[in-house]
Amino acid sequence: MPLFGPNVKKMKEKGDTQGLIRELVNKNPEIRVEAVKALSELEHVEGLSEATRNDDPKVGIEATRSLAKLKQMEELFAALKNKHPEVRITAIEALNNLKDSKSVEPLFEILTTDANETVQQKAFEALSSFGVKEDGEIAEIWTSTAVKLLQKRNFEIALKCFEEAVAIEPGNKEMIGSIGSALSEHGRHQDALKYAEKFIQMDTQNAWGWNLKGFCLVKLGKQEEALICCKKAVEIDPKWESARNNLAGIYYINGDYEELALHSEETLRFNPEDIKARLMLSEALALSNRLAEAEAEARKALEATYQAESTDAESLSMIYQQLGILCVMRGHEGALEHFENAIKANQRDEWMYKIADAYLMLNVIGSLTEGTPQERRARLLGLAAKRGRTYGSYVQWKLENEL
């Protein structure tokens, strides 16, 4: 005669649900499971609900399956948050089998919040099998869920969620565009490129798709292809700042400073108040050895920044940095003052401290005046990139050398 037979059987026959609930913590695991089965036969939802929270996952799994047979949706939703992943998976499978539309929201929640990858995968499989194919609202939920997963760096399932959204609304250009942007923002440029190309196929005369494709190609190291795409974006929408900035970036990466200067001048014709474009023009002129013109443009940028209603600390700092570098390139005095003004403008930018620090070191050893202007610039920036100094060490260096 089985050890557990008489007690559990008698309790079930008598309808002693409280006795069965007490047996859920019996030391014998087989008795705990038999108690759950008895509660299931008695359809005692309260007892089964308590059983899902048992420390023994086998008890929780059996209880969850029993609740599924009784179609106790709220209890199954609660089981989705159980501490045991095995119980959560059982709840997901049960909801998948029941195919109740009320399950969609809780399953999406578990997909985005559960830390267990297996649980997430099961939730995804359940949702994708629901067969909702023409619901724009569900497509949006898939997309927003994917973005949340991207933020948590769960790329594999995020990509699958995006695919589900597109399967529901393959002609939704705006959604496809937002997917491409989201992927690119999270560094998934190869995946983003696919969506940019889908967007272009749907609308070849929209600058947005070409711009995104160009940006992705830059990040993937395909400069020649990127140049074609970004030029196309600017051709379609000449005044779009993002497209113009991306094209300027490609010219800079390619070392095509003459083209960069011409492009920046054109940008300023569209918007004379564009500080970043003017600063980029100054940089292009400096790298083309047109140093006097470069300084003139940097000073125009400085004047425009101070005339603006609100001063942009980052831009102001970059302008002073450019003026300091031009002083070094031209062999003029005043570089340190410009670097210190850059630090005052944006005290959180450690790069400014490193440039000032590098300048001080090079000044002490007397190598700031050696070589061509381009060589002096490269020497200064190269040393700054290697410095590990902070503001405190920069000040100490300055005091030690009485500069």
Side-chain angles (χ1 to χ4, degrees):
M1 182 169 56
L3 178 63
F4 53 80
N7 291 336
V8 172
K9 184 177 180 181
K10 288 180 180 179
M11 290 178 193
K12 183 179 69 173
E13 290 173 351
K14 293 179 179 180
D16 184 4
T17 55
Q18 293 304 310
L20 291 170
I21 291 172
R22 286 194 296 271
E23 293 302 325
L24 293 174
V25 293
N26 192 290
K27 292 182 180 180
N28 188 323
E30 294 182 3
I31 291 179
R32 296 197 293 267
V33 172
E34 286 301 315
V36 174
K37 291 179 178 179
L39 287 167
S40 177
E41 290 184 33
L42 294 172
E43 299 186 358
H44 195 271
V45 174
E46 184 180 347
L48 291 171
S49 178
E50 184 172 333
T52 61
R53 300 186 289 274
N54 197 279
D55 288 337
D56 183 351
K58 290 182 179 179
V59 172
I61 290 170
E62 189 64 39
T64 303
R65 288 171 177 164
S66 297
L67 288 166
K69 292 176 182 177
L70 298 173
K71 297 184 180 181
Q72 295 295 315
M73 302 300 294
E74 293 301 322
E75 302 300 331
L76 291 174
F77 296 157
L80 290 173
K81 299 180 180 179
N82 192 279
K83 62 182 179 180
H84 298 297
E86 303 97 317
V87 175
R88 301 199 296 275
I89 289 171
T90 302
I92 292 169
E93 291 171 345
L95 291 170
N96 186 24
N97 291 330
L98 291 171
K99 290 290 189 293
D100 191 310
S101 60
K102 294 178 182 177
S103 304
V104 172
E105 186 176 343
L107 285 172
F108 269 117
E109 182 182 355
I110 203 73
L111 176 58
T112 55
T113 60
D114 202 293
N116 186 290
E117 290 185 8
T118 304
V119 174
Q120 286 185 319
Q121 181 62 34
K122 289 293 183 181
F124 168 79
E125 291 171 1
L127 286 163
S128 63
S129 71
F130 265 55
V132 182
K133 297 300 180 185
E134 298 180 356
D135 191 329
E137 184 177 346
I138 294 295
E140 290 180 9
I141 295 173
W142 275 118
T143 302
S144 62
T145 298
V147 171
K148 292 175 184 176
L149 290 168
L150 282 178
Q151 293 168 351
K152 295 182 177 182
R153 306 191 66 77
N154 194 332
F155 297 125
E156 184 178 349
I157 296 182
L159 288 169
K160 290 179 180 179
C161 291
F162 282 137
E163 289 169 3
E164 289 291 329
V166 174
I168 294 171
E169 289 197 305
N172 190 329
K173 184 178 70 176
E174 288 72 21
M175 183 183 71
I176 288 172
S178 68
I179 290 173
S181 290
L183 288 167
S184 180
E185 286 171 9
H186 289 85
R188 303 289 293 191
H189 303 297
Q190 188 66 57
D191 296 310
L193 181 60
K194 296 175 184 177
Y195 284 93
E197 290 172 343
K198 285 183 180 180
F199 187 96
I200 291 170
Q201 288 173 0
M202 299 171 75
D203 188 352
T204 58
Q205 294 305 305
N206 190 309
W208 190 95
W210 290 106
N211 189 48
L212 178 61
K213 183 177 179 179
F215 180 79
C216 292
L217 289 168
V218 167
K219 293 297 184 179
L220 294 170
K222 300 179 179 180
Q223 309 302 338
E224 292 184 9
E225 295 176 61
L227 182 61
I228 294 170
C229 292
C230 288
K231 279 185 173 180
K232 182 69 174 179
V234 170
E235 177 188 322
I236 294 170
D237 191 348
K239 296 183 180 181
W240 187 23
E241 184 179 354
S242 177
R244 299 200 68 84
N245 288 344
N246 285 340
L247 182 55
I250 295 173
Y251 285 138
Y252 187 88
I253 292 170
N254 290 345
D256 196 346
Y257 304 125
E258 292 294 338
E259 282 294 333
L260 176 58
L262 292 172
H263 177 74
S264 300
E265 287 171 348
E266 185 179 53
T267 300
L268 288 166
R269 284 196 290 273
F270 289 124
N271 182 12
E273 305 303 317
D274 189 333
I275 303 297
K276 290 183 179 179
R278 194 166 296 282
L279 193 55
M280 183 61 78
L281 173 59
S282 174
E283 179 82 352
L285 292 169
L287 292 168
S288 302
N289 288 317
R290 296 159 64 181
L291 301 181
E293 295 172 74
E295 184 173 342
E297 292 299 332
R299 292 193 178 280
K300 287 180 185 177
L302 183 64
E303 181 181 356
T305 300
Y306 278 116
Q307 288 178 349
E309 293 182 4
S310 59
T311 303
D312 180 358
E314 182 181 355
S315 295
L316 186 59
S317 180
M318 291 174 65
I319 293 167
Y320 276 122
Q321 175 191 302
Q322 176 72 350
L323 287 168
I325 291 172
L326 286 166
C327 281
V328 172
M329 294 179 74
R330 303 186 74 188
H332 292 177
E333 296 182 357
L336 183 59
E337 181 181 355
H338 288 311
F339 292 142
E340 290 187 329
N341 283 333
I343 289 171
K344 290 175 185 176
N346 189 5
Q347 295 183 17
R348 294 185 177 183
D349 190 344
E350 191 172 335
W351 173 248
M352 300 303 172
Y353 301 125
K354 291 181 178 181
I355 284 190
D357 179 43
Y359 173 83
L360 290 167
M361 175 172 280
L362 291 171
N363 196 51
V364 166
I365 62 178
S367 65
L368 277 175
T369 57
E370 298 176 357
T372 65
Q374 299 299 333
E375 288 172 341
R376 293 197 288 272
R377 177 184 183 275
R379 191 179 301 120
L380 174 66
L381 296 179
L383 181 58
K386 295 177 181 178
R387 305 307 288 166
R389 295 178 180 273
T390 60
Y391 177 64
S393 59
Y394 152 68
V395 172
Q396 183 64 33
W397 182 265
K398 181 180 176 183
L399 291 174
E400 288 174 356
N401 292 278
E402 298 180 349
L403 292 173

